[in-house]
Amino acid sequence: MNPETTAVAARTGTPAPRRLSREDLLAALRARGPEQRALHAAALDMKKQVFGDDVVLRGVIEIGNVCRVNCTYCPMRRDNNRANSSFFMSVSDILERAGHIKDAGIDVILLQAGETPKAAAIALDALPQIVALFHGSVEVILNLGSLGNERYRRLRDAGAMTYILKHETSSDLLHAETRFEKLSQRMQEWYVARDAGFRMGTGIISGLPGQDYESLADELVFLRSMDPDMISVSPFVPAPDTPMADVPPGNVDDALNFLALTRLEHPRALIPSVSAMEKNSSGGQGAGIAAGGNVMTINFTGDHQGEYLIYGKQRFVVKTEHVSRVLALNGARRAGSVWI
Ligand code: SF4
């Protein structure tokens, strides 16, 4: 935790998580108008008690766009690998971009890719050099999918500090229908990665077909059992060339209410306001910061940005100027890693 954040936490003490009854969770998820404003204000107050005005900035480098998984909502799904223009970054490319992140004064680097052994191997090679570039003062976060115990341990030993492995939905049925894998397998991987020594992130998609407010309340209860270090919520973004291209986008108000509830339930968690908020509703990312979010991620992928098709070619790519605007509008202050 950085010194200023530590000082804020020490001044105020750590507020106790607010665990709402199921009835109250459902009412909060449905909130609009004055009730919604009160919910977001309570979440922002909780965030300020722990983190003050700080919003942690990360730089993401998308190091490869090939994936062995076949998620129905993602244009980088296995069925599209041949049709997509595929790439894997070289270690020197990654280091060049890491240098840009360092120059921007950011000390949190997220390496992200589709799930393949090759992307994991590239990250493993790059890690010691990234750590050396920052003279050890860097938090490297990995989001490379399910890799198994041995790879997690090697990546941790090479200097990665945090791992993001989103379960996306805790519904067994929806998980199997959208990811073609068992939820139990994904969760087992999550705990294996945590046992390897990582601080752990997870995330869900809101607005998937078949989800309702009861399902979102289920998600919040499920998260209590995980106690993650980082939690994200992304409103569903329909993407071209996927089986879900014609599904309506996820409602951003629902996602914002979910974000606010995660803040109340997990006061110390890192909670990003993600680009999908902005994609589905202009101003959505700022609304996420106003509802208790405390992380924003700037894209440093460079030339390959257009090939990383997580939401298709029309995704909202977060740049430094956008983040500066959002922070200024919300009276927030950029901050570094809370772990180094
Ligand atoms: S969402 Fe992730 S795991 Fe699923 S297909 Fe896309 S890149 Fe692969």
Side-chain angles (χ1 to χ4, degrees):
M1 185 170 282
N2 70 32
E4 284 190 18
T5 303
T6 307
V8 171
R11 253 198 330 271
T12 58
T14 302
R18 277 186 51 195
R19 292 285 149 90
L20 277 66
S21 68
R22 187 161 188 99
E23 195 183 328
D24 288 344
L25 283 180
L26 288 167
L29 286 164
R30 291 191 175 103
R32 298 292 187 268
E35 288 81 15
Q36 185 180 35
R37 286 195 287 280
L39 169 67
H40 294 190
L44 181 60
D45 181 61
M46 181 73 96
K47 178 255 172 186
K48 286 190 177 197
Q49 285 185 54
V50 181
F51 297 99
D53 293 325
D54 288 1
V55 169
V56 175
L57 299 194
R58 296 171 176 166
V60 63
I61 308 171
E62 293 146 338
I63 66 173
N65 68 347
V66 178
C67 191
R68 66 156 200 89
V69 194
N70 213 21
C71 303
T72 51
Y73 43 78
C74 176
M76 291 184 349
R77 61 201 306 262
R78 184 177 65 236
D79 283 357
N80 290 355
N81 279 339
R82 284 199 179 170
N84 290 342
S85 159
S86 64
F87 76 91
F88 285 98
M89 268 190 203
S90 65
V91 170
S92 62
D93 276 352
I94 294 171
L95 284 174
E96 186 189 330
R97 283 155 180 77
H100 296 324
I101 293 172
K102 183 168 181 269
D103 292 345
I106 295 172
D107 64 359
V108 185
I109 295 188
L110 168 58
L111 300 182
Q112 180 161 288
E115 185 175 311
T116 62
K118 184 167 176 176
I122 293 169
L124 187 62
D125 284 347
L127 268 163
Q129 298 181 61
I130 294 173
V131 173
L133 180 71
F134 281 77
H135 308 292
S137 286
V138 64
E139 176 188 352
V140 182
I141 306 174
L142 302 176
N143 183 5
L144 304 172
S146 300
L147 299 177
N149 180 44
E150 200 179 315
R151 281 202 182 89
Y152 296 135
R153 287 183 186 273
R154 275 198 245 135
L155 290 161
R156 179 78 185 95
D157 289 348
M161 201 178 278
T162 312
Y163 205 90
I164 299 174
L165 194 68
K166 299 182 185 182
H167 59 276
E168 314 290 12
T169 165
S170 66
S171 151
D172 282 313
L173 182 65
L174 210 45
H175 198 93
E177 282 177 359
T178 54
R179 302 195 68 254
F180 305 105
E181 291 188 344
K182 285 190 171 167
L183 173 68
S184 57
Q185 284 173 339
R186 188 71 165 180
M187 295 316 302
Q188 191 180 342
E189 282 284 328
W190 196 85
Y191 287 105
V192 166
R194 181 145 88 178
D195 286 348
F198 284 115
R199 296 185 187 278
M200 291 302 295
T202 190
I204 72 133
I205 302 173
S206 62
L208 288 169
Q211 243 182 6
D212 55 16
Y213 289 115
E214 295 281 352
S215 329
L216 290 175
D218 289 343
E219 297 295 350
L220 287 159
V221 172
F222 190 83
L223 285 168
R224 289 174 187 168
S225 67
M226 296 173 71
D227 191 23
D229 300 291
M230 190 222 88
I231 308 165
S232 69
V233 52
S234 302
F236 169 68
V237 176
D241 306 317
T242 68
M244 292 174 71
D246 296 326
V247 172
N251 182 294
V252 172
D253 282 310
D254 289 348
L256 290 169
N257 291 354
F258 191 98
L259 187 157
L261 286 164
T262 57
R263 171 57 65 208
L264 292 175
E265 297 230 344
H266 305 268
R268 301 187 65 81
L270 292 166
I271 301 180
S273 184
V274 301
S275 65
M277 296 276 197
E278 193 73 32
K279 168 78 182 162
N280 282 11
S281 173
S282 178
Q285 267 191 304
I289 296 299
N294 67 331
V295 179
M296 290 190 78
T297 305
I298 299 172
N299 195 297
F300 284 86
T301 301
D303 295 345
H304 289 297
Q305 214 165 259
E307 294 156 29
Y308 197 81
L309 301 170
I310 193 77
Y311 300 128
K313 287 191 186 296
Q314 301 305 317
R315 69 177 167 145
F316 183 83
V317 177
V318 178
K319 297 293 190 187
T320 308
E321 304 71 38
H322 170 72
V323 169
S324 300
R325 231 180 357 258
V326 168
L327 297 189
L329 280 170
N330 285 281
R333 176 177 61 200
R334 62 177 284 168
S337 169
V338 298
W339 308 127
I340 58 174

